[in-house]
Amino acid sequence: MDNQTFTNNILLVEGLKITHQSSYPVFLLLLLAYIFTMGCNIGLVIVISTEKNLHQPMHFLFCNLPLNDILGTTVIMPRLLQDILRETSERYMTFVDCVVQAYFVHVFAAASHNVLMIMAFDRYVAICNPLRYSAIMTNKMVVKLSALAWGVSVITVTILIGLTVRLSRCKYKIESPFCDNASLFKLSCEDSVAINNVYGLISTVVVFIISLGSVFITYGKIIAVCITSKNKALNRKAIKTCATHIAVYIIMFVSCAIMVFFHRSPEYSENRKLASVMFHIVPPGLNPLVYGLQTKEIRQKTFKLCCS
């Protein structure tokens, strides 16, 4: 297949560089991780949606997290598992499929931050304004917050990918285990990719600052309320809930920061590939355990269903 055909229609995905002997163990490990992640997240959504006792704003907002984790894992894992069992020279993907994959990869990353921010807002209202919680966190507000989290993610990513799709291509090799925006604009030889770099860098920094700042301020105020409050039982519950949220946020933030750092450092290309795959496996796999099982109501309902 000549370069012109590759350039116009089909791309070659570099994928993970693993030996033939290790391909099957790696395939099995990633397959088990994928099954575990999907099972936990789908199970959480089913438990929350079917149990009336869990039909609360906090749990409905939390549902956005497993749904996003299902998206983030599914958008890369089936394709990645196929590529592991293929020869490096046979890992083809159409340009359209690559763009679609890159789009949802970035929607997942952006929504990871936005969903955790609206969850933090919910806890802030519940702990700092408990008497007004029912009036503020109505079903309508839950829908608005969820729509805001997903809407901002979609708009931001649409602009990001749109700037990349406009570029002409002179290369055909995706130097990554899967397609993302950086890999796509590296296919171009145009000088105008500077705007892609600038927008990508600015949007990443803005998301990180707003995400980190809002979570830090929100939980800072919650901790301040707990310190001044004399209700020890309520304080313990609040601190436990906040600790769970913060743990989930730290897992996501650190995984994302490592991936972004390696993406900006070409000398760590193999580390970048591993980090990018782990970002779609580790947080989605740990979130149900850290949040779901640490939330008393969800834990009790899950154990009840498992034992029945």
Side-chain angles (χ1 to χ4, degrees):
M1 190 174 291
D2 58 24
N3 287 348
Q4 187 63 33
T5 305
F6 269 119
T7 302
N8 290 333
N9 301 304
I10 303 206
L11 304 175
L12 181 64
V13 181
E14 189 175 69
L16 294 173
K17 289 185 177 179
I18 55 177
T19 63
H20 180 72
Q21 292 79 4
S22 60
S23 60
Y24 287 101
V26 171
F27 173 85
L28 182 60
L29 181 63
L30 291 179
L31 178 61
L32 291 175
Y34 179 55
I35 294 173
F36 173 79
T37 299
M38 293 296 289
C40 289
N41 283 290
I42 292 173
L44 272 177
V45 173
I46 293 174
V47 168
I48 293 173
S49 60
T50 57
E51 293 294 331
K52 291 184 178 180
N53 292 339
L54 298 177
H55 291 178
Q56 303 170 16
M58 178 180 73
H59 300 311
F60 280 138
L61 287 176
F62 168 67
C63 262
N64 288 291
L65 194 61
L67 287 174
N68 187 49
D69 288 340
I70 291 169
L71 169 67
T73 307
T74 302
V75 75
I76 75 158
M77 287 303 294
R79 174 79 197 192
L80 183 63
L81 290 170
Q82 291 179 30
D83 286 345
I84 288 174
L85 299 180
R86 291 173 176 164
E87 295 294 331
T88 306
S89 59
E90 296 177 355
R91 296 170 180 173
Y92 305 139
M93 177 183 278
T94 66
F95 178 73
V96 173
D97 288 343
C98 189
V99 170
V100 171
Q101 186 181 56
Y103 183 85
F104 286 107
V105 161
H106 287 277
V107 167
F108 161 71
S112 296
H113 288 272
N114 295 331
V115 167
L116 289 176
M117 282 192 283
I118 63 173
M119 289 172 61
F121 174 76
D122 170 77
R123 291 299 83 202
Y124 168 77
V125 176
I127 296 170
C128 298
N129 295 284
L131 297 179
R132 297 187 60 203
Y133 181 76
S134 297
I136 296 174
M137 294 305 299
T138 61
N139 290 337
K140 189 175 181 180
M141 176 60 73
V142 170
V143 172
K144 285 182 178 180
L145 289 173
S146 299
L148 178 64
W150 288 100
V152 170
S153 303
V154 167
I155 292 172
T156 304
V157 174
T158 298
I159 297 173
L160 183 72
I161 300 299
L163 287 171
T164 300
V165 172
R166 70 188 174 85
L167 301 172
S168 61
R169 306 185 303 279
C170 64
K171 302 174 186 176
Y172 64 87
K173 191 174 184 180
I174 297 293
E175 297 177 349
S176 180
F178 52 85
C179 294
D180 56 16
N181 183 65
S183 300
L184 280 173
F185 76 69
K186 286 177 183 177
L187 299 176
S188 176
C189 297
E190 293 184 20
D191 295 331
S192 55
V193 295
I195 189 174
N196 296 67
N197 279 311
V198 171
Y199 179 82
L201 184 59
I202 290 177
S203 61
T204 300
V205 171
V206 168
V207 168
F208 271 34
I209 291 176
I210 294 177
S211 172
L212 189 61
S214 63
V215 169
F216 179 79
I217 292 172
T218 300
Y219 288 119
K221 289 184 176 181
I222 290 174
I223 292 172
V225 169
C226 291
I227 292 174
T228 57
S229 175
K230 296 180 180 179
N231 191 330
K232 293 183 179 180
L234 182 62
N235 288 349
R236 282 196 299 269
K237 183 177 180 180
I239 291 174
K240 184 178 180 180
T241 302
C242 292
T244 301
H245 284 208
I246 292 172
V248 170
Y249 181 80
I250 290 174
I251 291 169
M252 181 276 301
F253 188 87
V254 171
S255 300
C256 188
I258 290 173
M259 183 181 66
V260 171
F261 170 77
F262 283 137
H263 236 312
R264 300 288 171 179
S265 306
E267 63 270 24
Y268 300 114
S269 61
E270 292 306 313
N271 292 336
R272 170 181 58 79
K273 293 177 185 179
L274 181 60
S276 62
V277 173
M278 290 298 101
F279 178 66
H280 289 261
I281 295 177
V282 176
L286 291 180
N287 287 344
L289 299 180
V290 174
Y291 188 92
L293 296 183
Q294 286 298 317
T295 304
K296 183 179 179 180
E297 296 87 348
I298 296 178
R299 184 175 66 248
Q300 289 176 341
K301 294 298 179 181
T302 302
F303 287 157
K304 182 180 177 180
L305 289 175
C306 292
C307 296
S308 60

